[in-house]
Amino acid sequence: MPAPKKTVRRSLLAGAATLLALAATAPAALAAPGAPKNPAPPAHMSTLGGARLGLPGTQVNLAPGVPVLPEGLTARSWIVSDAQSGEVLAAHNAHWPLPPASTLKMLFADTLLPRFPKTMEHRVAARDLEGMGEGSSVVGIKAGHTYSVHDLWLGVFLRSGNDAVHVLSAMNGTVADTVRDMQQHADELQARDTRVISPDGYDEPGQVSSAYDLSLIARSGLQKKDFRDYCSTVSADFGGSEIRNTNRLLSGDTDVPVYQGIAGVKNGNTTHAGATFTGVAERGGRVLLVTVMNPQKPEHNEVYKETAKLFDWGFQAAGKVTPVGELVPPRTAAQPSGAPSGSATAPTPAGRAGSQPVAAAATGSRGMGTALGVAGGLLVLLAGGVYLVNRRWPLPDLMRRRPRS
């Protein structure tokens, strides 16, 4: 989502109390005015996934045969992990809680995607669009118009539309209901650095996540076929106009080529978060996740450039480097008798006030383009029991196919 011109705080109730709490638990990036421009990571961070992941600075086991890390990495936090085994190959301040921007929409989607059939339609009321922050990214939803759930999700994933997020939140009951559900799902995923204040990732005091948590969330979302389809879609028709994915490793830009093997996931950008990004890519049958938060180098598309460097390193180092930690499974998946998790843990919103969609109507793909890569076609993570998960969960059955027209 584009950085807002002016951060508008939608709640004035807990200003002083919130800032005092943040001083102890949240990053300096959200502290009171006058805080250092280049804050240091907390001295003590979570050790979930391994003791080294709680240490500040870069964590990697360099040894003969292991490539050195790329030069010029400026992000405050990053992590490279194997999506299949869950092994963390390298990390930098992995558990530093930072503003996530629209990467938080991955949690929103992972929580709500199972709740509404994509053919369901909803007539948008003016109240559905209330409460969006000033300067929010939008896909152009209008009150009084009817949209399919499929189109709303295209708006979320491709254009990072806060208007689409608010409409889906209204269908789920209220924004407050959705925030609560997202926090419950984050807790189930063991994303303990994550605090949800708004469903769209807009800057709010106290709203934080970490590179580690965003990787956990992406990994969970990628278990869902719809999630994989939406996050790998390059372009689609929305209201008679084409919209293109703002993930530049997927859609490309003048200074960033499409990354070979890229298949999603989500980007973000706000005043306090800076640029954030979580990506998934496949090469030679290996699937990696990379999350990068807030590069300090003021260069166009820097978050994608640093992500590409880390992907390149990860594919070269995988199988050679000793991991420094692991991505943990959800709490239920960690139980011996638990089935593989990936769907939302909160109950469906049936019966909640404010959710009154119009009768369902069939919709098609409308010619949306799916990312299939360069030089012969990119990865599409197919349905039918396909999972990108921890070694305790099912492993993916990865296949290639030609782009859809």
Side-chain angles (χ1 to χ4, degrees):
M1 58 190 276
K5 296 179 180 179
K6 179 181 179 181
T7 300
V8 177
R9 294 175 180 175
R10 285 169 268 174
S11 173
L12 300 176
L13 297 177
T18 300
L19 289 172
L20 285 172
L22 287 172
T25 63
L30 283 180
K37 293 182 179 180
N38 297 306
H44 303 285
M45 295 180 283
S46 170
T47 57
L48 184 68
R52 290 187 64 178
L53 299 182
L55 298 176
T58 301
Q59 307 301 318
V60 63
N61 288 315
L62 295 179
V66 177
V68 297
L69 287 167
E71 296 180 354
L73 298 176
T74 67
R76 287 180 174 169
S77 176
W78 54 260
I79 187 169
V80 181
S81 57
D82 187 307
Q84 296 161 290
S85 69
E87 294 174 341
V88 176
L89 307 185
H92 180 75
N93 301 326
H95 278 291
W96 188 358
L98 295 166
S102 282
T103 49
L104 194 66
K105 289 183 173 75
M106 295 188 298
L107 178 61
F108 173 78
D110 195 35
T111 304
L112 262 63
L113 260 172
R115 300 188 176 187
F116 309 107
K118 64 173 63 177
T119 54
M120 178 181 289
E121 295 192 345
H122 178 78
R123 185 176 177 84
V124 176
R127 64 179 177 274
D128 296 347
L129 300 173
E130 293 176 353
M132 288 193 297
E134 183 177 323
S136 286
S137 55
V138 296
V139 70
I141 291 172
K142 297 179 176 62
H145 290 233
T146 298
Y147 300 87
S148 69
V149 167
H150 172 69
D151 284 349
L152 293 173
W153 283 118
L154 288 173
V156 171
F157 277 92
L158 273 66
R159 298 297 300 173
S160 208
N162 288 3
D163 48 356
V165 169
H166 277 253
V167 171
L168 287 162
S169 296
M171 293 173 66
N172 188 55
T174 65
V175 167
D177 291 330
T178 301
V179 166
R180 184 187 64 244
D181 293 347
M182 290 171 65
Q183 188 65 64
Q184 289 176 350
H185 191 45
D187 295 344
E188 158 61 19
L189 296 179
Q190 301 201 67
R192 299 174 185 172
D193 303 324
T194 300
R195 294 294 176 268
V196 184
I197 308 297
S198 67
D200 49 28
Y202 191 89
D203 285 332
E204 290 286 357
Q207 180 154 272
V208 292
S209 190
S210 66
Y212 184 89
D213 280 13
L214 292 174
S215 295
L216 286 184
I217 293 164
R219 200 159 175 248
S220 176
L222 287 165
Q223 294 180 82
K224 300 176 174 64
K225 179 183 184 301
D226 285 347
F227 189 105
R228 297 192 299 271
D229 286 347
Y230 288 127
C231 80
S232 64
T233 298
V234 176
S235 63
D237 176 85
F238 188 93
S241 300
E242 183 188 60
I243 57 173
R244 289 186 63 81
N245 202 311
T246 55
N247 171 359
R248 299 309 182 194
L249 291 188
L250 189 69
S251 58
D253 204 352
T254 55
D255 57 342
V256 177
V258 173
Y259 189 83
Q260 183 178 3
I262 194 72
V265 175
K266 191 71 188 75
N267 56 316
N269 198 320
T270 66
T271 298
H272 288 299
T276 59
F277 180 64
T278 296
V280 62
E282 184 268 354
R283 191 175 295 174
R286 191 179 295 275
V287 184
L288 298 184
L289 279 167
V290 172
T291 296
V292 173
M293 302 187 76
N294 201 348
Q296 298 301 288
K297 186 176 181 180
E299 186 171 322
H300 186 244
N301 285 327
E302 181 63 20
V303 72
Y304 303 111
K305 295 171 183 177
E306 296 193 18
T307 298
K309 289 179 180 180
L310 288 168
F311 268 131
D312 287 345
W313 176 87
F315 286 120
Q316 293 171 14
K320 304 173 184 176
V321 67
T322 301
V324 295
E326 68 170 351
L327 299 178
V328 298
R331 291 185 300 181
T332 53
Q335 300 302 319
S337 60
S341 178
S343 59
T345 57
T348 59
R352 279 187 181 165
S355 181
Q356 298 177 344
V358 178
T363 59
S365 65
R366 299 184 182 178
M368 66 179 178
T370 301
L372 300 179
V374 296
L378 269 191
L379 170 71
V380 169
L381 305 174
L382 301 175
V386 184
Y387 297 93
L388 284 174
V389 288
N390 187 280
R391 63 175 70 84
R392 303 182 187 182
W393 302 355
L395 296 180
D397 176 19
L398 300 174
M399 299 177 62
R400 295 179 183 272
R401 67 184 185 191
R402 294 185 181 278
R404 291 190 300 225
S405 58

